[in-house]
Amino acid sequence: MDRANKPKTLPKLSSTPGLPPQPTVNFTDDNSRLRAELPTGESVEVLLYGATVISWKDATGDEKLWLSEAAKLDGSRAVFGTAPDHPQTKDLPQHGFARTSRWEFLGKSTSESMVGRAADEPTVKLDFGLSSAAPGLDPKAAAHWPFKFNLIYSVTLNRESLTTSIVATNDDGATPFDCQVLMHTYLRVKKSPASPTRPTPTKSARRPLPPKPNPPPPSTLTITGETDRVYTPTEDAVTVAENSQPRFRVTRDNLANVVVWNPWAAKAEAMADFAPDDGFRNMLCVEPGAVGGWQAVEAGDAFEGAQTITLLH
């Protein structure tokens, strides 16, 4: 699926005189990543290895995501760090092969070609693909995942939000397969870890799954130590506060769970790919996903899920 001679800069979809400026998409010289920028200055950067969003900036250049200074961006390791008891996935890489494979960039859409609200504001949508036939597929996945599949991952940027969505299609004829999905989003916060607030969940759990049952947490969770939990909220939106001020709203679509993770001091220091050691004070993972169990995808069917992170001022 990977094209050998991709252009470094994708042309605008239209050059008709009188049209407002359109978003641009540029590849790096080594074709390892691409950067999309709205005409108003907001930008997003995606590493093709894992189709990993590694930067999201507002019009002033203020970064909204946290990225470890020790993260490997050369494809040697997943940027963000198995299920040994699950027969279909027990031999796959940690966190799954979608994060350890090189995805193909399928193209862009802009507000000029969209309908509805997206057409009324600067918007760019980037589509990435990975399939069982893709040359970028992790070799370990190809050896231990016998099912035919097709994944489409989309990243949509507008002035106030970032949306990521995935469609996982089972192309394997008559054989169903199981999957899990987690949007690994490391939000950048200032001074100290934030406090995600949300409606009282119906269920909470520690990872790894299956968990021991825990009582539902309060509607406000304050991070004061190592935190690694799976929640099942009753409503779709979670608010992430920074120093008691709302900063992000994370909205889920067809993703039942939210993982909240912060390694805190001891674990951060012990992790080789987490830097600086005190970086835990400036980041918080609030990750929508479908990880409370396995999602069965029947032959010819698909699983879809999405998240939207909205800036709050």
Side-chain angles (χ1 to χ4, degrees):
M1 293 177 65
D2 198 30
R3 294 171 293 174
N5 298 308
K6 287 181 286 193
K8 294 296 188 297
T9 302
L10 296 184
K12 297 177 181 178
L13 293 184
S14 174
S15 58
T16 304
L19 284 177
Q22 291 296 304
T24 59
V25 177
N26 298 293
F27 285 90
T28 56
D29 290 339
D30 61 359
N31 278 335
S32 66
R33 69 188 79 174
L34 55 84
R35 183 177 183 273
E37 183 174 347
L38 300 180
T40 46
E42 295 82 3
S43 67
V44 65
E45 188 170 347
V46 183
L47 188 69
L48 292 180
Y49 180 72
T52 308
V53 180
I54 57 175
S55 176
W56 170 32
K57 295 180 180 179
D58 66 17
T60 69
D62 186 45
E63 180 63 66
K64 307 304 178 185
L65 303 181
W66 186 88
L67 179 67
S68 170
E69 295 175 3
K72 303 295 184 183
L73 303 182
D74 59 0
S76 62
R77 185 172 181 176
V79 175
F80 302 123
T82 60
D85 58 344
H86 188 262
Q88 290 186 354
T89 60
K90 63 183 179 64
D91 295 320
L92 295 177
Q94 184 185 19
H95 300 304
F97 59 79
R99 293 172 65 190
T100 55
S101 298
R102 180 184 169 92
W103 293 59
E104 180 188 6
F105 177 56
L106 302 179
K108 72 169 182 175
S109 304
T110 69
S111 51
E112 184 183 2
S113 59
M114 294 179 179
V115 296
R117 179 184 175 187
D120 297 328
E121 58 185 23
T123 304
V124 61
K125 177 174 176 281
L126 311 172
D127 292 324
F128 303 86
L130 181 69
S131 77
S132 46
L137 184 64
D138 185 332
K140 191 172 183 179
H144 295 287
W145 183 260
F147 308 101
K148 293 181 181 179
F149 69 92
N150 186 59
L151 302 178
I152 302 295
Y153 181 67
S154 300
V155 178
T156 303
L157 172 71
N158 64 33
R159 297 197 66 183
E160 299 294 332
S161 68
L162 180 72
T163 297
T164 59
S165 63
I166 191 165
V167 179
T169 303
N170 184 346
D171 293 331
D172 202 63
T175 307
F177 63 66
D178 293 342
C179 70
Q180 290 185 335
V181 173
L182 189 64
M183 303 290 187
H184 287 265
T185 308
Y186 287 27
L187 298 174
R188 178 181 290 273
V189 294
K190 299 176 181 177
K191 295 183 179 179
S192 60
S195 304
T197 61
R198 65 211 172 292
T200 301
T202 58
K203 172 183 172 186
S204 68
R206 294 181 185 275
R207 290 190 289 176
L209 299 171
K212 295 180 180 179
N214 290 300
S219 60
T220 300
L221 174 67
T222 301
I223 308 301
T224 58
E226 181 184 344
T227 303
D228 191 359
R229 297 245 177 166
V230 180
Y231 297 114
T232 305
T234 56
E235 297 185 12
D236 294 333
V238 174
T239 299
V240 179
E242 178 184 82
N243 297 324
S244 302
Q245 297 299 315
R247 180 162 171 79
F248 302 101
R249 182 173 65 250
V250 182
T251 305
R252 296 167 292 117
D253 183 1
N254 200 40
L255 297 173
N257 310 117
V258 175
V259 172
V260 179
W261 181 76
N262 186 290
W264 215 249
K267 180 168 283 189
E269 187 174 353
M271 296 171 65
D273 58 351
F274 192 99
D277 288 345
D278 64 353
F280 70 92
R281 297 188 179 279
N282 298 107
M283 56 79 68
L284 182 66
C285 299
V286 179
E287 309 170 316
V291 294
W294 291 97
Q295 309 299 313
V297 184
E298 299 296 329
D301 204 352
F303 174 83
E304 301 182 36
Q307 69 163 349
T308 296
I309 308 171
T310 303
L311 301 178
L312 303 176
H313 301 285

